[in-house]
Amino acid sequence: MCNHRKVTLGVGLLILLFALYSTVGAQLFAPPVKYSTTGGSRLDLVDLDQDGDLDILTATLDFGGPWILFFKNDGSGNFSVVDTIPNSKINFYPLAADLDGDTDLDIALSNFPDGSLSILVNTGGTNFAPAVEYNCGPTPRDFVAADLDQDGDQDLYIPNGESESSVSFMENNGDGTFQPRVAIPTGNQPFQASLGDIDNDGDLDLLAACRGSNEVWIHRNQGGGVFAAPEKYSVTPGPAAVKTTDLDSDGDEDLVVGVFDGSSLAVLINTGGGIFGPAVYYATNSRPQEPAIADFDLDGDRDIAIDNFDDNNFSYLENLGNGTFLPKVDYFTGTSPSHTAAGDIDNDGDPDLVVFNWGEQTISVFFNQTPPQAGAIPTLSEWGLIIFAAFLLLALLWRIKKSKRIATA
C-alpha cells in the first residue's frame, strides 16, 4: 500500500509540475522578428499601399538625410523596405490619413526640433508630392487626425509637448492644405493627443496626456469641433499617453494611461456620461509609455500591451472582462522601446504587436500565437512557483509517510 501511494503521489507530482510549466511558461506572443531603422521614435501601422494588409511607416535620418521609410507587408507579416520617401525636416512622428479626400493615404509628420508640420500628398500608389510645411507650434509630438468639426475632411490635433501648454488645431481646407494653427489650452507638457466619444453623443472628444501637470485633460466636443470647458483628471507621475476603449464591456469608453515617470499604467473607468472614476494603477516596469489595446487572447474583452522604456520590454495585461487586469507578463523587445501598435499583420485573425525600439533603432514584430504556446522557458518568478508547488507535494508525501509510521508503531 505504501509503495502504491508513493507511485501515485510521484505521478501526481510530475503531472502538476508539467501543468505548472505549461501554464506559466505559456507565451501569448512568439519571440520577436526585428527590422533595422535609424533616427525615429514612432511608427504608424497602416495599409499604405491599400493591398489589404498592414504596412509599417516610420521616420529615419539614415540613407543620407531625413527620410520616411515604408516597410511593405508581403501579406503574411514579413516586411521589407520598398521605398524611402524624402523629407527635408527631422521628423519623429509619422501619421497616414486621407487628407485630400481622394481615398488614398497621405502622410503627415510633426517635426519635433523646429515646430513644423510636413504634409506629403499621395499622387498615386505610394508616390508622394514634395512636402509642404506649416507652423504647428513648438515641440510637436504624437498627434491624431479626425473630422471633429464634421465638415467631411480630416483635421489635425498636435500636442506641443515641451514648450507650450496647448494642442494645435490645424483645420483642413478639404484638399490637404491647412489653415494656420489654433492653440487649444491644456495642462503642462501635453505629450499625446487622443480621441474618443467618451459621452456617447456621436462625436469625437479631444483628450491630452499632460506629463508636466500630472493630468489627463478632456475637451468635450459640443458639435462642429466646438469644445466645452476642459475637465481634468489626476494621473501621476507623468502621464505621457492616453487611449480610449471599452474595458468593462458596458458600452462606454474608459481611459488607459501610460504613466511615463513611474512604473504603472492607469485605468479610469467611465461611470456614465463621460464622467470617470479615480485612476486605478497596475504595475508595469519602468517608464511605460504607449498602450496598445486589443483583444489579444480572443476572449471578447480588451487587453493591454505597453512598452517600458527603461527596462527594454513590454508588459501584457489580460483583462478579466470587467475592466480589471491580471498581473503583467513581460516580453523582451529591444533597447528603449518608445512606441507600440497592435494589428493583425499576418491576416490570421488575431492582433499582433509592433514595437519601435528607440535605443537601438529597430522595429520588433511580435506574432500572436493564440492560444498561448507552452514550452517557453519560465522566468525566475515562475520557477519560484514551480519549486513552491513541488515543495508542497513533497511535504505532503513526507506527512503521509510519517502518519503511516505512527499508525504502525
Side-chain angles (χ1 to χ4, degrees), residues 192-246:
Q192 187 189 72
S194 185
L195 302 168
D197 184 8
I198 62 167
D199 48 10
N200 279 335
D201 65 351
D203 51 34
L204 292 173
D205 308 299
L206 177 66
L207 300 90
C210 301
R211 180 184 177 192
S213 54
N214 294 323
E215 295 166 324
V216 171
W217 278 48
I218 297 175
H219 297 263
R220 290 179 189 254
N221 192 342
Q222 296 181 305
V226 177
F227 297 107
E231 303 163 30
K232 309 164 193 177
Y233 290 88
S234 175
V235 179
T236 187
V242 57
K243 296 289 176 64
T244 65
T245 189
D246 185 5

Side-chain angles (χ1 to χ4, degrees), residues 1-275:
M1 184 66 179
C2 181
N3 288 336
H4 174 71
R5 186 173 292 165
K6 287 181 179 179
V7 170
T8 301
L9 285 171
V11 171
L13 173 61
L14 290 175
I15 291 173
L16 180 58
L17 288 175
F18 178 78
L20 280 169
Y21 175 79
S22 299
T23 301
V24 302
Q27 299 289 293
L28 186 64
F29 297 97
V33 178
K34 286 189 178 182
Y35 299 88
S36 295
T37 182
T38 58
S41 65
R42 293 292 190 276
L43 58 84
D44 196 10
L45 193 59
V46 64
D47 186 7
L48 188 66
D49 54 4
Q50 297 184 314
D51 64 350
D53 51 41
L54 292 172
D55 310 302
I56 298 173
L57 191 67
T58 188
T60 181
L61 301 180
D62 204 358
F63 308 110
W67 300 90
I68 307 155
L69 290 188
F70 166 42
F71 290 81
K72 178 176 173 57
N73 191 337
D74 68 358
S76 58
N78 301 307
F79 295 90
S80 58
V81 178
V82 298
D83 210 353
T84 54
I85 305 164
N87 182 43
S88 61
K89 297 291 185 176
I90 299 174
N91 44 75
F92 291 103
Y93 304 95
L95 180 147
D98 181 13
L99 300 175
D100 57 0
D102 64 353
T103 73
D104 55 25
L105 296 178
D106 312 298
I107 297 175
L109 303 109
S110 59
N111 305 314
F112 181 83
D114 69 352
S116 67
L117 171 75
S118 294
I119 302 295
L120 291 82
V121 171
N122 192 324
T123 58
T126 55
N127 300 306
F128 296 86
V132 177
E133 295 170 6
Y134 298 86
N135 171 33
C136 65
T139 57
R141 297 188 65 92
D142 206 352
F143 63 110
V144 289
D147 184 17
L148 267 66
D149 56 3
Q150 298 176 327
D151 63 353
D153 51 39
Q154 299 284 299
D155 308 304
L156 300 176
Y157 294 84
I158 308 170
N160 302 113
E162 302 286 347
S163 307
E164 186 175 289
S165 299
S166 68
V167 169
S168 292
F169 166 51
M170 307 288 293
E171 183 175 1
N172 194 333
N173 293 319
D175 58 358
T177 64
F178 291 84
Q179 292 288 322
R181 79 177 183 114
V182 176
I184 301 171
T186 66
N188 188 29
Q189 290 185 317
F191 262 46
Q192 187 189 72
S194 185
L195 302 168
D197 184 8
I198 62 167
D199 48 10
N200 279 335
D201 65 351
D203 51 34
L204 292 173
D205 308 299
L206 177 66
L207 300 90
C210 301
R211 180 184 177 192
S213 54
N214 294 323
E215 295 166 324
V216 171
W217 278 48
I218 297 175
H219 297 263
R220 290 179 189 254
N221 192 342
Q222 296 181 305
V226 177
F227 297 107
E231 303 163 30
K232 309 164 193 177
Y233 290 88
S234 175
V235 179
T236 187
V242 57
K243 296 289 176 64
T244 65
T245 189
D246 185 5
L247 295 174
D248 53 1
S249 303
D250 65 349
D252 51 32
E253 296 192 346
D254 310 299
L255 305 183
V256 179
V257 185
V259 186
F260 187 61
D261 294 326
S263 299
S264 65
L265 64 83
V267 169
L268 288 80
I269 297 296
N270 193 331
T271 59
I275 305 299

Side-chain angles (χ1 to χ4, degrees), residues 255-319:
L255 305 183
V256 179
V257 185
V259 186
F260 187 61
D261 294 326
S263 299
S264 65
L265 64 83
V267 169
L268 288 80
I269 297 296
N270 193 331
T271 59
I275 305 299
F276 295 90
V280 177
Y281 295 89
Y282 293 89
T284 60
N285 289 306
S286 180
R287 307 196 88 178
Q289 186 167 355
E290 184 76 21
I293 303 169
D295 184 9
F296 290 108
D297 55 3
L298 304 182
D299 65 350
D301 51 39
R302 309 283 282 173
D303 311 300
I304 302 171
I306 189 165
D307 51 81
N308 300 299
F309 187 83
D310 280 354
D311 286 323
N312 307 326
N313 58 27
F314 76 83
S315 296
Y316 168 67
L317 290 89
E318 181 182 347
N319 193 335

Side-chain angles (χ1 to χ4, degrees), residues 329-345:
V329 177
D330 297 328
Y331 295 81
F332 177 76
T333 56
T335 307
S336 303
S338 58
H339 193 202
T340 307
D344 184 7
I345 61 174

